[in-house]
Amino acid sequence: MSYRDLVEQRDVIVCCGTGGVGKTTTAAATAMAAAQMGRRAAVVTIDPAKRLADALGIGALTNDPTVIDGPWPGTLAALMLDTKATFDDVVRRHAADDTQVDRILDNRFYVNVSTSLSGTQDYMAVEKLAELHASGDWDLVVVDTPPTRDALAFLEAPKLLTRLLDNAIYKLVISPQRGVLRAVNRAASSVVRQLSRVVGADVVDDAIEFFQAFQGMEEGFKERADATLSLLGADATAFVLVASPRADTLSEAKYFLDRLGAADMRAAAIVVNRMLPALSVDVDRAAELRSTLADTDAAGLGVALADHAAAAAGDEDRVGELLATAPDAMLARVPLLPSDVHDVETLTQIAAILTASTGV
């Protein structure tokens, strides 16, 4: 399967990888390629920088899709994940009434959780993916996953939520039964006392109040978490691993491939950005030319040629080692550009490179 096939046929493409390897740009270029094919594509990024918005020719991105006009027959929209706004929307959609909404949104524990925890960002990225996919407004949703030290944090988020909601202590805490509350006191008083000494009694009280206010919404959250996990494991979803040819990022990429495989998932494609362009001469021939030119005015050019050839060969060797660990994934090489992506024209070039990639 080529990269073009992925863009044409899949409903969801999840771009994964460490930060700083061009993941956001790859996600945007993938969505642009889909729009060029006539599809309705939305890319959701977690990158708060305005770099992507500038490249797309718009002033800023919000938590809602912004349609970008351009020379494509389909639709291209982009949005930047606002964790708290997404969480607030989920609460408003699924709360029983306005009173429950107010109890949750005004809770201090909720305010902290919804604004400062990285795990919440992971889960809200999943929620936003589910929302966009279920809307029916988009043929393809491209997700630029949060940069995280845990390669599978994004994928683990729905499972963690389900485990929390199924936890016996959690169920006791939210139970309105007086007898059960006494059981909570007996079972959890020791834990709560110790926790209070660490984070403060007010924090513990706020947390319990939050979970009690949350009562009645658990099943809805669990159902969406289960549905999103099914979507991520379906044939309609493709994972694209983004890396650079640097040894450290390729090592992280290999770790991610191992973790993805352990979760019975596979990367459909590997995109390696900032590859040195290949030369018309190999390493040996470049070394010969360096020797030949050593005592001439072109000696510097000879050295530069040999260095470039050796560095490009090193890139290819390291990328080849990574690809050997994922033989079913197709490889797309994106060459090193003279500057960062800062306009639609450059983004279009990257989209063209990706869709022209057919494999190794």
Side-chain angles (χ1 to χ4, degrees):
M1 174 171 282
S2 67
Y3 203 90
R4 184 179 186 85
D5 292 335
L6 290 180
V7 177
E8 281 183 331
Q9 299 173 13
R10 302 301 176 95
D11 299 339
V12 175
I13 292 180
V14 181
C15 293
C16 307
T18 57
V21 295
K23 186 156 49 69
T24 301
T25 299
T26 300
T30 299
M32 175 180 284
Q36 292 169 338
M37 296 175 190
R39 306 192 77 193
R40 300 171 301 165
V43 53
V44 53
T45 180
I46 43 70
D47 186 353
K50 288 185 61 179
R51 176 173 52 84
L52 178 60
D54 292 340
L56 292 170
I58 56 180
L61 293 172
T62 70
N63 199 45
D64 297 314
T66 297
V67 175
I68 298 117
D69 295 328
W72 35 75
T75 303
L76 172 62
L79 57 156
M80 185 181 72
L81 179 69
D82 182 327
T83 302
K84 187 176 188 309
T86 300
F87 209 157
D88 289 354
D89 287 344
V90 171
V91 170
R92 292 190 182 96
R93 280 201 303 272
H94 300 286
D97 49 40
D98 291 342
T99 301
Q100 187 176 25
V101 171
D102 292 340
R103 285 185 65 196
I104 295 175
L105 298 190
D106 293 341
N107 181 273
R108 289 179 296 183
F109 178 80
Y110 169 80
V111 172
N112 289 329
V113 165
S114 61
T115 56
S116 60
L117 293 185
S118 59
T120 305
Q121 186 185 51
D122 293 324
Y123 183 70
M124 286 303 118
V126 172
E127 281 281 354
K128 181 57 75 173
L129 163 61
E131 174 191 328
L132 293 170
H133 181 260
S135 72
D137 294 334
W138 311 104
D139 301 318
L140 173 66
V141 178
V142 183
V143 183
D144 168 30
T145 58
T148 173
R149 295 183 63 182
D150 185 345
L152 289 185
F154 171 76
L155 304 179
E156 291 288 341
K159 297 178 184 176
L160 290 174
L161 177 70
T162 300
R163 285 200 289 270
L164 169 65
L165 297 179
D166 284 336
N167 186 278
I169 294 296
Y170 169 78
K171 290 182 177 179
L172 288 171
V173 167
I174 66 170
S175 173
Q177 302 298 323
R178 296 183 62 183
V180 175
L181 284 176
R182 285 196 295 272
V184 172
N185 289 335
R186 288 195 299 271
S189 58
S190 176
V191 175
V192 171
R193 279 199 306 272
Q194 294 181 45
L195 187 59
S196 298
R197 291 170 184 166
V198 176
V199 301
D202 290 344
V203 174
V204 174
D205 290 343
D206 289 342
I208 292 176
E209 181 181 329
F210 165 71
F211 288 125
Q212 289 175 338
F214 198 70
Q215 189 176 15
M217 298 174 62
E218 307 92 331
E219 287 305 315
F221 271 75
K222 286 174 59 179
E223 289 174 2
R224 288 195 307 284
D226 291 340
T228 307
L229 277 174
S230 297
L231 174 63
L232 292 174
D235 292 339
T237 298
F239 289 90
V240 173
L241 178 62
V242 185
S244 80
R246 284 175 38 181
D248 56 343
T249 63
L250 289 175
S251 177
E252 289 285 337
K254 184 177 182 306
Y255 168 73
F256 184 88
L257 288 173
D258 292 341
R259 293 289 307 276
L260 203 59
D264 292 328
M265 295 179 181
R266 299 287 182 273
I270 298 173
V271 174
V272 183
N273 287 311
R274 302 163 192 158
M275 292 284 290
L276 288 173
L279 301 176
S280 58
V281 296
D282 60 20
V283 174
D284 292 339
R285 178 56 179 156
E288 291 176 5
L289 290 171
R290 180 181 57 191
S291 298
T292 301
L293 299 173
D295 296 325
T296 70
D297 293 340
L301 291 176
V303 171
L305 179 68
D307 289 348
H308 185 111
D315 283 359
E316 287 292 344
D317 289 344
R318 289 189 293 275
V319 171
E321 292 174 2
L322 175 67
L323 198 61
T325 65
D328 296 332
M330 63 85 55
L331 173 66
R333 299 175 178 84
V334 178
L336 181 67
L337 301 176
S339 62
D340 289 338
V341 177
H342 52 75
D343 53 38
V344 172
E345 181 179 351
T346 310
L347 203 59
T348 303
Q349 292 175 5
I350 295 175
I353 292 169
L354 290 175
T355 52
S357 301
T358 57
V360 180

